[in-house]
Amino acid sequence: MTQYAAEAALDLNRRWLERFVIGQNLCPFAAAPYRAGRIVYKVSDACTLDGVYQDFLVTLDELFASDPREQETALLILTGAFVSFEDYLDALDVMQQTVAAAGLEGRVQLASFHPDYRFAGVDADDPANFTNRSPLPMFHLIREDGLAVALESYPEPERIPERNIRHLRSLGVQGVRALLGDD
């Protein structure tokens, strides 16, 4: 993975969010906070678990110290750590334990994204994996109270993952890569 400067990492991930996540309606709850400017983007250039852990703690603290009408969700984008998906999963486990240790279970949900994301039991080249593939590794911290409100107004939210998988499989890997500009 190429080391990215903070501004390049932000641009890359914002384009991915706009064109792919929102553009393909993979997360029907992303557009409103995006348009309202309530998504906080943090870039960590740390190369170690300890460094990323410190940046994660700061991001978590800042998110919950802020007004939810100003900061609804946060993306911690990693430019120098966890190139390996396996290493990323190990770090994800640490971050989830951190959320629990901070007493924030039920208040924050941690979503995971990585360039090589692969669901267990799914072929590496299955387009379904792109639902959680991002340009750079990242941790998405979501306030659960805001998510709960959004889920109440969305019909059958439990069907979103299967709908996304069906949609991405219908596009195929080449179609997904064309949307991402990777072709």
Side-chain angles (χ1 to χ4, degrees):
M1 178 173 76
T2 305
Q3 181 83 21
Y4 284 86
E7 206 52 46
L10 288 171
D11 289 345
L12 188 63
N13 282 279
R14 281 186 180 126
R15 278 195 314 272
W16 166 77
L17 184 62
E18 291 168 0
R19 291 176 61 190
F20 194 65
V21 175
I22 295 171
Q24 294 300 302
N25 198 32
L26 297 179
C27 178
F29 315 116
Y34 176 78
R35 283 191 215 106
R38 293 189 312 260
I39 298 175
V40 176
Y41 303 87
K42 296 288 186 172
V43 176
S44 171
D45 61 358
C47 295
T48 65
L49 177 58
D50 287 341
V52 172
Y53 175 77
Q54 291 302 316
D55 290 339
F56 182 84
L57 288 176
V58 168
T59 304
L60 188 62
D61 184 56
E62 288 176 357
L63 181 65
F64 279 95
S66 69
D67 183 331
R69 293 169 296 189
E70 294 176 15
Q71 294 186 10
E72 184 174 329
T73 188
L75 296 174
L76 179 61
I77 304 162
L78 312 177
T79 63
F82 314 129
V83 174
S84 155
F85 183 53
E86 291 74 26
D87 291 343
Y88 173 83
L89 290 176
D90 291 343
L92 175 63
D93 187 50
V94 170
M95 302 313 152
Q96 288 173 325
Q97 290 174 27
T98 301
V99 168
L104 293 173
E105 284 184 310
R107 293 189 59 211
V108 67
Q109 186 177 112
L110 189 56
S112 56
F113 296 93
H114 190 277
D116 297 323
Y117 200 97
R118 182 176 176 187
F119 290 107
V122 175
D123 290 338
D125 62 349
D126 188 321
N129 292 314
F130 282 91
T131 62
N132 287 68
R133 284 190 181 168
S134 56
L136 296 168
M138 76 172 80
F139 300 113
H140 182 190
L141 294 82
I142 308 163
R143 290 178 190 259
E144 288 209 13
D145 52 354
L147 182 60
V149 170
L151 287 171
E152 287 174 7
S153 64
Y154 193 85
E156 300 181 289
E158 69 279 358
R159 298 188 71 127
I160 294 169
E162 88 180 41
R163 183 204 68 201
N164 289 345
I165 289 169
R166 226 179 16 257
H167 173 62
L168 294 179
R169 284 181 175 159
S170 75
L171 293 172
V173 172
Q174 299 299 50
V176 170
R177 291 202 172 160
L179 283 171
L180 294 171
D182 292 348
D183 53 347

